Amino acid sequence: MKLLLTDGGLLYLQGIEGSYVREIDVDIIGYESGGYVLDKTIMHYQGGGQPGDRGTILAGNLTIPIYNVKKKGKKIVHLSEVETDVKSGKLILDWERRYKIMKMHSLQHALSAVIFKDGFSSLVTEVFPAYGYIETDSDGIKLRREGYSINKIARDIKRYNVSRENLDQKLMARCNLDRLPKSIDEVSVVEIADMDTCACAGTHVKNTSEIGNYWVRTPGKRVEFGLF
Ligand SMILES: [Zn+2]
């Protein structure tokens, strides 16, 4: 089954639960392009407005640090300065950092939905563990009140795949589906109950109440936000 921007092995894209898997046993295919290629991964690779994950591979007594994950060609490379020829290990996510990113990415979807209610699009979005921003097509954003209390209403968040021809264009009006590469025929969809539906292959929390306390400010066309 084809997933958004990839051809499988990305366990964090298995439902919403897939984003909560913190460690797995992996086979190590090899060290190339500055990092490890594995048979599967729970680590998000850098792209789509979300940073690459960090963590470690434990192989016997050896701890191999992974400082970023990138897609190089068709391969997902777990970048590390420690080169070894180990063949298997346990891949462990830097969960504290990742969970912040999951909260931030979910918050971004919700904020983009609130902005869209006033007719404005999110042109560029990017999130980090402590900071994120949305660039809009407004002259100056005046965020609705609900944009400041997204964590106060508990809304479930789901992730599932939809074939490209079955995408509901109307439902996903908020998303710029033209930006999806033509080669993709199975699209990863993230849905916040009664609020938002959008194509996204990032990682998100299960419920908006998990986001916790956050700040948001609106300098001009931008919406900036972060976690306390
Ligand atoms: Zn997302």
Side-chain angles (χ1 to χ4, degrees), residues 5-6 10 12 32-38 41 43-48 50-54 66-80 97:
L5 299 180
T6 185
L10 301 178
Y12 60 82
E32 53 186 280
S33 308
Y36 292 90
V37 177
L38 312 174
T41 192
M43 290 191 175
H44 182 268
Y45 65 86
Q46 187 181 324
Q50 183 177 324
D53 278 320
R54 294 178 190 164
I66 305 296
Y67 68 86
N68 196 0
V69 183
K70 286 189 180 178
K71 192 171 194 199
K72 298 193 176 186
K74 289 192 168 176
K75 292 177 177 169
I76 310 296
V77 182
H78 300 71
L79 298 172
S80 179
R97 178 174 179 274

Side-chain angles (χ1 to χ4, degrees), residues 48 50 105-106 108-109 125 127 174 190 198-204:
Q50 183 177 324
H105 205 147
S106 307
Q108 179 263 306
H109 283 238
T125 68
V127 296
R174 206 269 289 161
V190 174
C198 192
C200 184
T203 59
H204 311 81

Side-chain angles (χ1 to χ4, degrees), residues 162-181:
V162 178
S163 66
R164 194 184 187 101
E165 70 245 38
N166 289 333
L167 279 179
D168 185 337
Q169 305 277 342
K170 221 171 161 186
L171 191 66
M172 295 216 262
R174 206 269 289 161
C175 287
N176 187 355
L177 293 174
D178 295 339
R179 276 160 59 186
L180 286 179

